Each structure stands twice: as structure tokens, then as C-alpha cells.
């Protein structure tokens, strides 16, 4: 009876809250309006487990060592969750490329990163859609140097974002290339027909 | 010297005994220069140890402005008003847009860039630092913790107090912790009175003390956020500071007892000029355009740094994007680039507006002007592509 109650409770909980799971190599659908292709297995943490930012993320070694966020923003959405004392930047359809870069850097600054800056801001085309890619650098609140990469692709009224963050020491370099492949694999809605 | 050590030792023992006694007095008296707790089992020593750790965290955090000249200037002002205690105080200029400064019992002294941006001269900065120094000298934090202990909530208060100085997130949220860190109105008044005496004794203009609070009140009243406008009725600093109106009146009355001293806002602006754009960018990120526009208006009264200030005005208006704002932002960027100190970003801001208006040629021209001034800009590759597209 006791065992049944435990199983029942677990089932009830799992029905309410998505649990972390394996994101197997291959086409993967995070909780966003696009899919990506993973060349290896990752651990996927759905939005309910994302403490400060919207969307879910995949990680190889844990939240603080490397993570790749996936999120689709509608007009008026924020990249970060509401918190006391935090003024959130919001996405606005029609934002310029540079405003989108500032949306990302200012959002990260608002959740505890310091001296967060974008570099190597460049135009890109992913799945037939024009957007931007850029590098990120800054510090986490404990002084750890952080690097990252981001891709932002506006399609219609939405902005599709991939944001990679990892400590500069070892972890960023170890996954930088893999994350670049993930970004290039974004399969976006409303993509031009191929072939 | 030995007598002094024995006295200090005895005083800390007495103090800790007082803390441990639920009904004891929480008056710690006035701190002597060089005081440190010698009873390592005391609550104060524990607090001191945690503050030392918090200070180490702060140094590592990346929030401290790494500029020896600026830090030296702020330390100098604090030393001027703190006399023999100068060596007890370690100043950190913290990159944070809030108007704030605090001194922990171990001497860690954090001065936020939001305060440095808003002070108009050295005397106004000295007024705030002298006020905070009195809290330090009179052991107000320890007395607050002692009183909290009597109320059996010390653990909670200690945790919040230490957390509040423990890292950038917590530093940024210090105002939220203010409910626990607030001093009584009596202690604030004591800090105002003694602080003014110290600043005037150091040769600063006592009348500047009320000015910095008046400016802050005016700015908060201009805020687009109800919460901040409401805080203008108080100070927005800590909730139990005396109401601003009362405080300004009292400070003005007391300042009349001292001989006015000329201030030098030009020299002060020169000291903060290298940081002006970064600090204004921090304000823009806070997304309170009305408040920041009010601040820029005040900073513009000196009629210097107009390239930087008009750029910031343009950015705020472009981001706010209410009816007519894009036109006003365009005018601000155009005004900015007429001044020698205009940042390259003014041309980029202008280009963005021209591009949005379909003025492709003038947008491309402005982007090119931007790149000619900032060829290594982080967005150079993107801007080059935009110029190509705009030129057709």
C-alpha cells in the first residue's frame, strides 16, 4: 500500500512538473518554437528547472559548468524571469540587431553576471532566415570568468534564441565547437522549403 | 597602547556578554581607531569573520571598479571625514547604479557608482560618506544586531546582513535587505548631526548635505515607477531614514551654523568623467527613462560632457519609443555629434533611427561615420553588412 502511495505521488508530481531527462543525440525539440540537432547526448532541464531565465537548457556537466539555453520570445516577452528588484528588458518585434544584442547582455547582467559584453557581432543566416550571432564574455557573481555564444534569429513576430554559457577555463573551449553546430542546426518555423 | 588593548579586549568581552544576555543594553559606545574584536567566540567576532569573507568575495566579484585613481579619490574623501579611523576603512567602488554606500563593522566600505554619478561635488560625496562613517564609528550595526538578538531574531538578521554584503546579487538587492539593516530614526539623526560636523571640520561645505538629498528626492519623484515615486516621500535609501522633507529641513538648519565653503563641481566632474558613459549606460539598463532623463537634465546643468549626455538622452528616448520619442532621440544624437566628446555610438544611434525611417543613404553615412571612429567595434562585421545592404 505504502509503495503504491509513493508511486502514485511520483506519478502525480511527474504529471505536473516536467523532470530533467536525457536529450539523446539527433533531432531534439526543446521547449521552444524550433528544434536543433545534437551530435551527442545531453541532459535536458525543462523551463520549470531554469531558475532565472525563460526556456529550457541542455548541459553536459551541470548548470554552472556549461549550459545551452533555448527560448522563443514573442513580442513583449522577457528572456529572464520576474524577480524582486530586477528591471527586466523585454523583446519588441522589429527591434534592431543591436537592440537584440543588448536585450541578451542586459538580461544576463540583470540576473547576476557582471561586465557582460558582446563581441564579434556578425550577421548570419540559419535555416534560410537572417539573424545575428555573437560572443559573450563577463563574470559570474563569484568572480568566475564566463564566456559564451549566442544566436538570435527573428522570424515574424518571434525571436528565436540560443545562448551558451560556460566558464572560460576549459569548459567554454571544450564545447564551443559543438554548440556552434547546434546553432547552425536550428530548424525554424516558417523556413523556406528546401529542394 | 597596552591599556588601550586591555580596554578594547574588555570592551568586546562586555559587548559580547551584553549580546548574549537577552535583556542587556545594546549600546556599544564609540569605536576607537584600530578596534577589532579580541574574543573570537563572540557574536561580533563571528560577524567580523563573515564580513571579512564577504569582503574577499566582493574583491573577486568583478563588481569593484578597478581604477586606482578613482578609488584613491574616494578613499581620500572618506579619510578626510574619518580622521584617525582612516586606516580601519577599506574602500571599494562598486559598479552598481543604486544610490548607496555602506560601511560594515570590519571596515569594508562600499561606495556605489550610482552615488558617485549623482554627487555634484566633493562636498556632497563627503556628506554621505561622513554620515555612513558615523554609523561605523558608533557601532550602529552591532547595536542593531544586539537589539535584534534581544528580539530573538538575530540569526535571521545576521544572515541577511552578511548576505547583503556577500556578493553582487546580494549587493544589488541591498535595498531589499534594508528592512533588516535599517537604523532607527535616532541613529540616523545622530549620523546626520555628527556627520555634518565631521565634513565641515574637514573643510567641506555643510550646506551640500541637504542638496544631495534634495536632488535624490527630485529624481525619485520623476520616476516612471509608482514604487520609486512613493519612496521619494522617504529617501529610497533605507526606509527608516528620516523623511526627506524633514531631513532636508533639519540639515539646512544645522548647516547654517557653519561658514559656507565654495564647492568645485567642475573638478568633481573631471574626476568621474572617464566613467560617465559607462555609469549612464548602467542607468539606461534599469529602464526607468523618466528618472534617468531627469538625472541627465541635472548633469547637463554644468554644460560640460554634452556629447556623452546627449548620447545617453538619445538612447533612452529611442528605447522608450513612445510617440515622438524617435524624433527626439534623433535630435539628441545630432546634438551629441556636434560636441567633441561625442561617443562613436552617437553615430550608430543616429544610423539606427535613419534606417528605421527608410533614410537609407543617411543611415549608411552615419554607420560609416561610426565605423570610422570605432573600426574595431564589436559589431563592425554586422555594421559593414548593414552598410552594404543600405547602399544597395
Amino acid at each position: 500500500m505504502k509503495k503504491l502511495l509513493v508511486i502514485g505521488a511520483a506519478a502525480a508530481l511527474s504529471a505536473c512538473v516536467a523532470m530533467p531527462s536525457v536529450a539523446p543525440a539527433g533531432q531534439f525539440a526543446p521547449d521552444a518554437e524550433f528544434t536543433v540537432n545534437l551530435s551527442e547526448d545531453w541532459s535536458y532541464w525543462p523551463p520549470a528547472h531554469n531558475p532565472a531565465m525563460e526556456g529550457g537548457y541542455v548541459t553536459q556537466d551541470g548548470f554552472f559548468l556549461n549550459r545551452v539555453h533555448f527560448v522563443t520570445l514573442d513580442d513583449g516577452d522577457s528572456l529572464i524571469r520576474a524577480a524582486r528588484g530586477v528591471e527586466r528588458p523585454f523583446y519588441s518585434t522589429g527591434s534592431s540587431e543591436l537592440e537584440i544584442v543588448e536585450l541578451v547582455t542586459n538580461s544576463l547582467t540583470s540576473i547576476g553576471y557582471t561586465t557582460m559584453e558582446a563581441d564579434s557581432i556578425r550577421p548570419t543566416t540559419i535555416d534560410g532566415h537572417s539573424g545575428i550571432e555573437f560572443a559573450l564574455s563577463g563574470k559570474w557573481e563569484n568572480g568566475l570568468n564566463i564566456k559564451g555564444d549566442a544566436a538570435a534569429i527573428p522570424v515574424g513576430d518571434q525571436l528565436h534564441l540560443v545562448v551558451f554559457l560556460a566558464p572560460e577555463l576549459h569548459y567554454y573551449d571544450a564545447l564551443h565547437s559543438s554548440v556552434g553546430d547546434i546553432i547552425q542546426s536550428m530548424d525554424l518555423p516558417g523556413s523556406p522549403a528546401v529542394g | 597602547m597596552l591599556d588601550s588593548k586591555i580596554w578594547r579586549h574588555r570592551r568586546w568581552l562586555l559587548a559580547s556578554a551584553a549580546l548574549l544576555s537577552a535583556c542587556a543594553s545594546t549600546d556599544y559606545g564609540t569605536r576607537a581607531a584600530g578596534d577589532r574584536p579580541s574574543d573570537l567566540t563572540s557574536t561580533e567576532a563571528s560577524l567580523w569573520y563573515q564580513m571579512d569573507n564577504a569582503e574577499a568575495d566582493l574583491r573577486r566579484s568583478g563588481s569593484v571598479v578597478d581604477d586606482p585613481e578613482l578609488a584613491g579619490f574616494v578613499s581620500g574623501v572618506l579619510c578626510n571625514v574619518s580622521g584617525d579611523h582612516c586606516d580601519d576603512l577599506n574602500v571599494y567602488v562598486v559598479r552598481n547604479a543604486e544610490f548607496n554606500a555602506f560601511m560594515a563593522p570590519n571596515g569594508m566600505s562600499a561606495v556605489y557608482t550610482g552615488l558617485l554619478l549623482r554627487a555634484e561635488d566633493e562636498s556632497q560625496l563627503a556628506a554621505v560618506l561622513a554620515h555612513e562613517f558615523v554609523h561605523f564609528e558608533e557601532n550602529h550595526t552591532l547595536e542593531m544586531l544586539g537589539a535584534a538578538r534581544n528580539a530573538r531574531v538575530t540569526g535571521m538578521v545576521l544572515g541577511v546582513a552578511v548576505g547583503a554584503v556577500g556578493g553582487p546579487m546580494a549587493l544589488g538587492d541591498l535595498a531589499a535587505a534594508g528592512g533588516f539593516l535599517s537604523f532607527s530614526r535616532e541613529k540616523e539623526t545622530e549620523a546626520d548631526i555628527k556627520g555634518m560636523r565631521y565634513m565641515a571640520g574637514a573643510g567641506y561645505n555643510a550646506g551640500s548635505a541637504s542638496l544631495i538629498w534634495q536632488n535624490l528626492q527630485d529624481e525619485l519623484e520623476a520616476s516612471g515607477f509608482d514604487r520609486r515615486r512613493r519612496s521619494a516621500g522617504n529617501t529610497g535609501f533605507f526606509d527608516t531614514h528620516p523623511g526627506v522633507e524633514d531631513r532636508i529641513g533639519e540639515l539646512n538648519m544645522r548647516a547654517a551654523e557653519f561658514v559656507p565653503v565654495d564647492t568645485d563641481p567642475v573638478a568633481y566632474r573631471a574626476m568621474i568623467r572617464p566613467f560617465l558613459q559607462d555609469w549612464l549606460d548602467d542607468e539606461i539598463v534599469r529602464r526607468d527613462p523618466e528618472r534617468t532623463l531627469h538625472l541627465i537634465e541635472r548633469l547637463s546643468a554644468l554644460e560640460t560632457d554634452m556629447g556623452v549626455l546627449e548620447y545617453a538622452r538619445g538612447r533612452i528616448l529611442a528605447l522608450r519609443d513612445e510617440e515622438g520619442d524617435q524624433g527626439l532621440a534623433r535630435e539628441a544624437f545630432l546634438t551629441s555629434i556636434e560636441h567633441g566628446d561625442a561617443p562613436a555610438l552617437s553615430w550608430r544611434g543616429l544610423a539606427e533611427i535613419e534606417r528605421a525611417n527608410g533614410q537609407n543613404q543617411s543611415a549608411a553615412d552615419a554607420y560609416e561615420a561610426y565605423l570610422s571612429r570605432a573600426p574595431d567595434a564589436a559589431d563592425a562585421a554586422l555594421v559593414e553588412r548593414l552598410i552594404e545592404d543600405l547602399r544597395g
Side-chain angles (χ1 to χ4, degrees), chain B residues 161-196:
Chain B
V162 172
V165 294
M169 278 290 279
L171 280 167
D173 201 31
L174 187 65
F180 294 102
L181 287 171
S182 296
F183 300 116
S184 68
R185 190 185 178 100
E186 290 71 26
K187 285 180 170 43
E188 294 297 349
T189 301
E190 181 184 9
D192 275 347
I193 294 171
K194 286 189 75 177
M196 182 174 284

Side-chain angles (χ1 to χ4, degrees), chain B residues 16-37:
Chain B
S16 39
L19 259 187
L20 293 171
S21 163
C23 301
S25 162
T26 56
D27 184 2
Y28 281 71
T30 302
R31 174 193 299 250
D35 261 1
R36 281 192 73 91

Side-chain angles (χ1 to χ4, degrees), chain B residues 33-95:
Chain B
D35 261 1
R36 281 192 73 91
S38 50
D39 176 6
L40 298 181
T41 64
S42 66
T43 302
E44 310 73 60
S46 169
L47 175 65
W48 211 286
Y49 173 74
Q50 291 179 72
M51 289 296 173
D52 283 345
N53 284 341
E55 187 172 345
D57 288 344
L58 176 60
R59 277 197 297 267
R60 283 195 299 266
S61 68
S63 297
V64 177
V65 177
D66 182 19
D67 187 276
E69 190 177 356
L70 180 68
F73 167 72
V74 177
S75 290
V77 176
L78 182 54
C79 279
N80 288 342
V81 298
S82 63
D84 292 344
H85 288 274
C86 176
D87 290 340
D88 298 338
L89 302 166
N90 297 324
V91 171
Y92 300 91
V93 177
V94 177
R95 180 93 178 254

Side-chain angles (χ1 to χ4, degrees), chain B residues 357-369:
Chain B
N357 290 337
Q359 302 296 316
N360 291 0
Q361 282 307 324
S362 54
D365 290 346
Y367 275 131
E368 281 184 347

Side-chain angles (χ1 to χ4, degrees), chain B residues 304-320:
Chain B
T304 61
D305 310 294
M306 295 310 293
V308 170
L309 293 168
E310 285 297 315
Y311 162 71
R313 189 198 308 275
R315 285 283 294 124
I316 293 163
L317 292 165
L319 279 170
R320 187 171 70 175

